[in-house]
Amino acid sequence: MKVLVATEKPFAAVAVEGIRREIEDAGYTLALLEKYTDRAQLLEAVADADALIVRSDKIDAEVIDAARQLKIIVRAGAGYDNIDLEAASARGIVVENTPGQNSNAVAELVFGLAVMAVRNMYNGTSGTELRGKRLGIHAFGQVGRNVARIARGFQMNISALDPYCPDEVMLEASVQPLHDVKVLYAGNDVVSLHIPATAETRGSVGYELITSMPKNGVLINTARKEVIDEEGLDKALAERIDIKYVADIRPGNADALMEKYPGRVFFTPKKMGAQTAEANINAGIAAARQTVAYLRDGIDRFRVNR
Ligand code: 3PG
């Protein structure tokens, strides 16, 4: 059986070695397609694959259709908005993610971005500290919980909003539960986004919420660009010259924003929240183990489609 690892943004070499070990020890063959630049390469590589391990690689109906032998797709990471679940389900293909495996890496980057923002992008002028500031965590999943853990070390006052998370989980983490998105934005100096890109969240953070932030507010996005209403963000930044937006995902209007609001916006060149050796090893090996567990024993514990 062939397990294809297709990663346009490759894992660290040490993670690939670990994945190879898991796959080959189970008696399967590993095929590696890294840094591919052409979709045709992916379509060709999946043709005889029994299993597919990917990161943010777009696995749409066309790819699924080209993969005639495919039984399982594992997204080595958290968000699976890059995979057409319906097309996979229609073919009886299992889709899984590896929740929690890269969340510390993303959470650490949140603070890399937060410190940079409050120190005025390191431009030499006097900034502010995070200690004593109010942090609002928008969604309290695995990444949000790691953000809270690190924020406690910074001595921030932490609150979070997550309709899918019981208040007790937040209270146990010394986080104040909120139930109104308006309060989350209006009441926090720093807001960190951790909502997935779904029909419900797309474009849900825009002008109203951003302009409701307190003076010198910082909005951090290490989640997905789709959750931002980009026109609304632009309008908010034009009106509120004290607000900063720092993100690990370049918005569609990144160039225009950087030109219009120098020193107030920052975007990593490529999504790199989960791009650490540790996260690659954790998520990559988990993906390989889950693949083997399914191919060999039919175990689909992390299945996200039905
Ligand atoms: C995730 O959803 O796990 C993160 O966004 C990381 O994505 P990546 O594997 O493309 O870096």
Side-chain angles (χ1 to χ4, degrees):
M1 289 227 235
K2 171 174 148 179
V3 179
L4 172 68
V5 174
T7 46
E8 182 270 325
K9 181 177 62 184
F11 288 122
V14 59
V16 177
E17 274 169 41
I19 295 170
R20 183 180 296 283
R21 247 193 324 272
E22 296 292 332
I23 302 297
E24 292 182 348
D25 284 357
Y28 304 137
T29 307
L30 178 80
L32 203 54
L33 177 68
E34 290 182 320
K35 287 193 196 170
Y36 58 93
T37 46
D38 190 351
R39 212 173 141 69
Q41 295 170 273
L42 177 61
L43 294 173
E44 194 190 324
V46 293
D48 61 347
D50 296 280
L52 175 62
I53 295 176
V54 293
R55 296 184 65 179
S56 290
D57 306 76
K58 197 164 176 50
I59 307 302
D60 57 16
E62 189 188 15
V63 178
I64 289 169
D65 193 46
R68 298 317 301 173
Q69 288 180 205
L70 201 59
K71 296 158 189 65
I72 180 166
I73 302 168
V74 183
R75 192 288 191 234
Y80 45 86
D81 47 307
N82 53 318
I83 298 170
D84 187 332
L85 296 188
E86 249 177 59
S89 297
R91 284 264 317 281
I93 297 169
V94 168
V95 180
E96 299 190 3
N97 66 348
T98 64
Q101 300 290 351
N102 59 17
S103 46
N104 179 66
V106 179
E108 286 191 12
L109 185 68
V110 167
F111 290 89
L113 294 169
V115 172
M116 183 176 68
V118 296
R119 297 300 182 100
N120 301 326
M121 312 297 185
Y122 306 130
N123 70 358
T125 64
S126 186
T128 58
E129 299 178 21
L130 292 176
R131 184 168 64 174
K133 299 296 183 302
R134 297 165 296 175
L135 170 69
I137 303 177
H138 196 163
F140 207 63
Q142 302 276 356
V143 182
R145 291 170 205 199
N146 276 282
V147 168
R149 172 179 54 78
I150 299 170
R152 288 199 298 271
F154 276 95
Q155 296 180 291
M156 300 184 81
N157 298 313
I158 317 162
S159 59
L161 174 101
D162 190 333
Y164 302 100
C165 175
D167 286 2
E168 300 76 65
V169 175
M170 296 183 193
L171 291 167
E172 262 169 40
S174 306
V175 171
Q176 190 200 338
L178 300 176
H179 302 101
D180 182 345
V181 70
K182 291 189 187 136
V183 175
L184 178 78
Y185 282 76
N188 282 294
D189 305 295
V190 179
V191 172
S192 189
L193 280 166
H194 301 291
I195 45 180
T198 63
E200 190 190 342
T201 64
R202 266 171 228 273
S204 63
V205 178
Y207 176 80
E208 299 286 335
L209 289 178
I210 298 169
T211 51
S212 77
M213 290 186 75
K215 191 164 166 43
N216 298 327
V218 174
L219 178 59
I220 303 173
N221 186 359
T222 55
R224 289 291 180 272
K225 75 178 175 126
E226 289 81 2
V227 303
I228 296 281
D229 163 11
E230 293 179 355
E231 263 179 45
L233 168 68
D234 188 353
K235 202 170 145 211
L237 289 169
E239 194 174 301
R240 285 285 306 276
I241 59 166
D242 55 308
I243 282 181
K244 295 196 185 81
Y245 178 65
V246 286
D248 187 31
I249 330 93
R250 286 173 71 82
N253 55 354
D255 290 341
L257 295 182
M258 285 189 297
E259 205 181 306
K260 280 161 109 173
Y261 313 113
R264 294 176 46 218
V265 294
F266 173 83
F267 312 117
T268 53
K270 207 168 203 172
K271 185 162 64 124
M272 54 181 294
Q275 198 59 324
T276 65
E278 294 89 337
N280 289 173
I281 291 168
N282 292 344
I285 292 180
R289 287 188 180 152
Q290 289 172 218
T291 300
V292 170
Y294 183 69
L295 292 178
R296 198 181 50 199
D297 307 316
I299 296 169
D300 63 355
R301 181 167 160 224
F302 295 99
R303 186 171 187 160
V304 295
N305 67 329
R306 283 295 149 200

